[in-house]
């Protein structure tokens, strides 16, 4: 059966809607949507018209070149099996930069509906995540990453930020009815609140950058003097307040006075010698973890109340329970002996068994706790060079290892399929202290390009980032600048293009904002105020 142009159009829109719903909810829906989209494109024909567009739109070649680069990288790769999986995973880099520019442009209504479907899906997922959060937040050892029920919490946090941008664009640039503008603003505020509930540091940083950018550009279009002065004041105050907040958190982490080891008591009330490690002065809530430790008394008291063996047992997070116990008691300001242990409640014991290493994780707000955890990781790294299992500081080891691989393959890189092989070799060569469980790849998309394709591939990727702002008018828009800020910032801290969700999010919206509609709204809201 041959479809007419109207039917092809509906299939095109339907497949995109599937992908929009699939991004926050289902990889299967993404795959189905992409297959239907590609099949519809091939069956629709219009070859001469599409060839003409392809010849005059240079940026299409640039973006499809990112995928072609992966194909060329097969010539010097050794792990063909991994390379083929990577090529299949990165098909969105080929599909969307071809199909969207070579398809009939969307009407503004269609464009807005696609953005609305995506935002609605993200918001619906946020309600499910919030229910999960409210239901389980009081559980000892609760991990905020578990509230992202359908996708990686980092990838999902990027979707939340992108929805935030889309909703603000609708409120400021597209919608004329007051009640709808208010609704869009309310939903944008909810996305802002939810990003802190989700507690993804990548998402929080990206959200702050987006908000700051939007305020900055909006000032150029505000004519009301009072509003402009208010906006400028906010621009100056915001980084100042953030710096002060971070300084306060760091200051609260450290003791007010330097340690005087000559004043340490040597014996507990039970007559046992304390273990004082004055070389490893790591902290919990401004208290030293490795001072006033009586292992014998702790073991005796712990084994009376818990079924997890003190010396060899592990908590629910896979950590040795005695290390969690010592850190938890330190966070309470207790000596790690029988007298200190007697002050622990049943709730404290349950928290320790669940892997909670600091009492503040049971009651302090999520943002303060996340900042505290990052400070603790950096303090431990500076004092003992230990990074294993620490989500932020172990990235230094990933980057160090990746940089060494790049230095050995500067011009052309290692090829499409050899990332895992080369990382494993380099970890061994550098005698990395990370166990195999934690020996991961770069967690930096730019470094990944440098390792895989050398300087040639890296500069090609940078060209793909920069060129649209000189060669495509749609790049000078509220939506595209926000999109670039979200995705390219995330690539500093994540392998954004190494998962199907991440590469689809990037490839689709990059093509969608650049090619699907003529004349996107510029950076500022339509306002004469």
């Amino acid at each position: 059966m041959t479809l007419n142009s109207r039917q092809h159009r509906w299939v095109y829109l339907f497949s995109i809607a599937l992908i929009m719903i699939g991004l926050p909810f289902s990889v299967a829906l993404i795959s189905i949507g992409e297959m239907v989209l590609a099949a519809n494109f091939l069956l629709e024909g219009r070859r001469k018209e599409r060839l003409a567009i392809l010849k005059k739109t240079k940026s299409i070649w640039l973006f499809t070149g990112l995928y072609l680069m992966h194909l060329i990288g097969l010539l010097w790769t050794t792990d063909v099996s991994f390379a083929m999986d990577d090529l299949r995973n990165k098909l969105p880099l080929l599909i969307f930069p071809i199909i969207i520019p070579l398809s009939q442009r969307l009407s503004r209504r269609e464009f807005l509906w696609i953005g609305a479907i995506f935002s609605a899906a993200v918001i619906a997922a946020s309600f499910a995540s919030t229910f999960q959060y409210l239901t389980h937040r009081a559980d000892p050892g609760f991990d905020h990453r578990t509230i992202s029920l359908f996708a990686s919490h980092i990838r999902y946090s990027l979707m939340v930020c992108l929805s935030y941008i889309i909703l603000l664009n609708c409120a400021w640039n597209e919608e004329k009815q007051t009640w709808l503008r208010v609704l869009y603003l309310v939903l944008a505020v909810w996305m802002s609140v939810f990003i802190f509930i989700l507690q993804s540091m990548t998402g929080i940083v990206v959200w702050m950058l987006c908000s700051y950018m939007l305020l900055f550009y909006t000032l150029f279009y505000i004519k009301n003097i009072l509003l402009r002065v208010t906006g400028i004041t906010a621009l100056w105050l915001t980084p100042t307040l953030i710096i002060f907040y971070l300084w306060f958190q760091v200051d609260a982490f450290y003791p007010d006075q330097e340690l005087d080891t000559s004043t340490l008591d040597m014996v507990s009330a039970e007559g046992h010698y304390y273990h004082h490690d004055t070389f490893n002065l790591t902290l919990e809530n401004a208290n030293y973890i490795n001072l006033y430790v009586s292992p014998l008394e702790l073991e005796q008291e712990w084994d009376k109340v818990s079924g997890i063996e003190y010396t060899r047992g592990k908590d629910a997070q896979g950590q040795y329970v005695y290390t969690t116990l010592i850190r938890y008691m330190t966070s309470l300001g207790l000596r790690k002996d029988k007298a200190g242990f007697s002050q622990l409640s049943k709730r404290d014991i349950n928290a320790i068994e669940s892997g909670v290493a600091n009492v503040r994780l049971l009651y302090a707000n999520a943002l303060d706790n996340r900042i505290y955890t990052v400070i603790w990781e950096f303090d431990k790294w500076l004092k003992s060079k230990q990074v294993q299992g620490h989500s932020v500081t172990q990235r230094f080891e990933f980057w160090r290892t990746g940089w060494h691989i790049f230095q050995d393959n500067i011009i052309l890189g290692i090829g499409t399929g050899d990332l895992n092989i080369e990382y494993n070799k380099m970890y061994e060569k550098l005698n990395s202290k990370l166990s195999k469980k934690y020996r991961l790849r770069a967690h930096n998309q730019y470094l990944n390009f440098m390792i895989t394709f050398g300087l040639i591939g890296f500069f090609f990727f940078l060209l793909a980032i920069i060129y649209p702002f000189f060669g495509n008018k749609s790049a000078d828009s509220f939506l595209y600048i926000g999109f670039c800020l979200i995705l390219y910032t995330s690539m500093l801290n994540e392998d954004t293009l190494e998962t199907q969700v991440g590469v689809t999010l990037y490839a689709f919206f990059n093509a969608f904002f650049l090619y699907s509609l003529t004349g996107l709204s510029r950076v500022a809201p339509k306002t004469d105020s």
Side-chain angles (χ1 to χ4, degrees), residues 51-71:
L51 187 59
I53 297 172
L54 194 59
K55 286 180 179 179
K56 70 178 183 180
T57 312
K58 296 177 181 178
S59 55
I60 296 177
W61 293 99
L62 190 61
F63 290 119
T64 55
L66 293 176
Y67 188 80
L68 296 177
M69 190 163 58
H70 286 76
L71 284 174

Side-chain angles (χ1 to χ4, degrees), residues 278-441:
T278 56
F279 293 99
N280 184 1
L281 297 177
T282 49
L283 299 159
E284 292 285 358
N285 296 352
N287 299 307
Y288 294 100
I289 296 173
N290 296 304
L291 301 183
Y292 292 109
V293 181
S294 175
L296 179 62
E297 293 180 28
L298 284 182
E299 182 175 2
Q300 291 175 343
E301 298 305 310
W302 176 261
D303 288 342
K304 292 178 183 177
V305 299
S306 176
I308 302 175
E309 186 181 355
Y310 177 84
T311 53
R312 291 181 292 179
K314 294 186 177 181
D315 61 33
Q317 303 298 320
Q319 306 156 138
Y320 283 106
V321 75
Y322 70 86
T323 63
T324 307
L325 171 62
I326 290 171
R327 286 180 58 191
Y328 190 92
M329 291 181 67
T330 302
S331 75
L332 287 168
L334 301 174
R335 295 188 177 190
K336 281 72 74 175
D337 56 16
K338 182 177 180 179
F341 192 91
S342 68
Q343 297 183 52
L344 297 180
S345 66
K346 179 62 177 176
R347 184 177 185 230
D348 293 326
I349 300 300
N350 291 337
I352 294 165
E353 291 176 334
S354 299
V356 177
N358 190 307
V359 68
R360 66 175 290 144
L361 300 179
L362 298 178
Y363 64 82
N365 72 72
L367 181 60
D368 283 350
N369 283 341
R370 189 70 184 97
I371 297 296
Y372 175 88
T373 302
V374 173
I375 296 171
W376 185 89
E377 288 185 20
F378 272 94
D379 180 72
K380 192 171 182 66
W381 171 61
L382 291 170
K383 289 177 177 176
S384 62
K385 303 303 178 185
Q386 294 184 25
V387 299
Q388 179 162 295
H390 305 152
S391 63
V392 176
T393 54
Q394 71 180 3
R395 279 170 165 76
F396 298 144
E397 186 72 3
F398 303 158
W399 297 340
R400 180 177 78 100
T401 306
W403 183 252
H404 279 282
I405 300 171
F406 166 68
Q407 288 180 313
D408 291 344
N409 305 272
I410 290 178
I411 304 301
L412 293 176
I414 61 176
T416 302
D418 288 357
L419 267 177
N420 286 342
I421 291 175
E422 293 301 323
Y423 257 96
N424 290 334
K425 286 181 182 179
M426 190 57 69
Y427 276 125
E428 292 297 329
K429 183 178 179 179
L430 297 175
N431 295 316
S432 174
K433 295 180 180 179
L434 293 179
S435 64
K436 290 184 178 180
K437 174 183 176 182
Y438 294 104
R439 291 184 177 186
L440 305 178
R441 298 191 326 227

Side-chain angles (χ1 to χ4, degrees), residues 9 13 104-117 166 168-176 184 473-474 476-479 512-524 526:
R9 185 65 170 174
L13 296 173
Q104 180 184 340
R105 293 293 177 101
L106 298 175
S107 67
R108 185 164 291 276
R109 183 182 180 188
E110 290 169 337
F111 179 89
L112 294 175
W113 265 109
I114 290 170
I117 291 170
I166 292 171
L168 287 179
N169 178 68
C170 288
W172 288 353
N173 290 316
E174 304 295 346
E175 190 52 58
K176 295 181 180 179
Y184 289 133
K473 292 181 180 179
S474 293
D476 182 22
S477 71
F478 184 96
L479 288 171
F512 182 66
F513 291 144
L514 284 178
Y515 303 113
S516 65
L517 182 68
T518 303
L520 284 177
S521 301
R522 292 176 65 84
V523 173
K526 294 177 180 177

Side-chain angles (χ1 to χ4, degrees), residues 147-195:
I147 72 173
S148 182
L149 302 175
F150 311 103
S152 156
H153 75 295
I154 294 176
R155 307 293 185 272
Y156 180 49
S157 72
L158 301 182
M159 296 182 217
V160 172
C161 292
L162 190 54
S163 296
Y164 170 67
I165 294 293
I166 292 171
L167 290 164
L168 287 179
N169 178 68
C170 288
W172 288 353
N173 290 316
E174 304 295 346
E175 190 52 58
K176 295 181 180 179
Q177 297 185 59
T178 302
W179 74 272
L180 278 175
R181 296 182 71 178
V182 171
L183 175 61
Y184 289 133
L185 286 173
V186 168
L187 292 174
V189 170
W190 165 243
M191 290 286 90
S192 303
V193 172
F194 179 71
I195 200 69

Side-chain angles (χ1 to χ4, degrees), residues 418-516:
D418 288 357
L419 267 177
N420 286 342
I421 291 175
E422 293 301 323
Y423 257 96
N424 290 334
K425 286 181 182 179
M426 190 57 69
Y427 276 125
E428 292 297 329
K429 183 178 179 179
L430 297 175
N431 295 316
S432 174
K433 295 180 180 179
L434 293 179
S435 64
K436 290 184 178 180
K437 174 183 176 182
Y438 294 104
R439 291 184 177 186
L440 305 178
R441 298 191 326 227
H443 278 63
N444 181 303
Q445 193 63 57
Y446 304 102
L447 182 56
N448 258 3
F449 265 95
M450 294 170 71
I451 295 168
T452 307
F453 304 112
L455 284 177
I456 294 176
F458 175 65
F459 285 130
F460 187 85
F461 183 50
L462 290 183
L463 182 63
I465 295 172
I466 297 168
Y467 180 82
F469 293 99
F470 298 95
N472 193 313
K473 292 181 180 179
S474 293
D476 182 22
S477 71
F478 184 96
L479 288 171
Y480 190 70
I481 292 175
F483 160 82
C484 288
L485 192 61
I486 293 167
L487 270 295
Y488 293 131
T489 300
S490 76
M491 291 181 188
L492 292 169
N493 193 49
E494 291 297 328
D495 302 327
T496 307
L497 304 184
E498 303 306 311
T499 66
Q500 185 178 0
V501 172
V503 73
T504 300
L505 186 69
Y506 168 76
F508 174 81
F509 280 104
N510 189 56
F512 182 66
F513 291 144
L514 284 178
Y515 303 113
S516 65

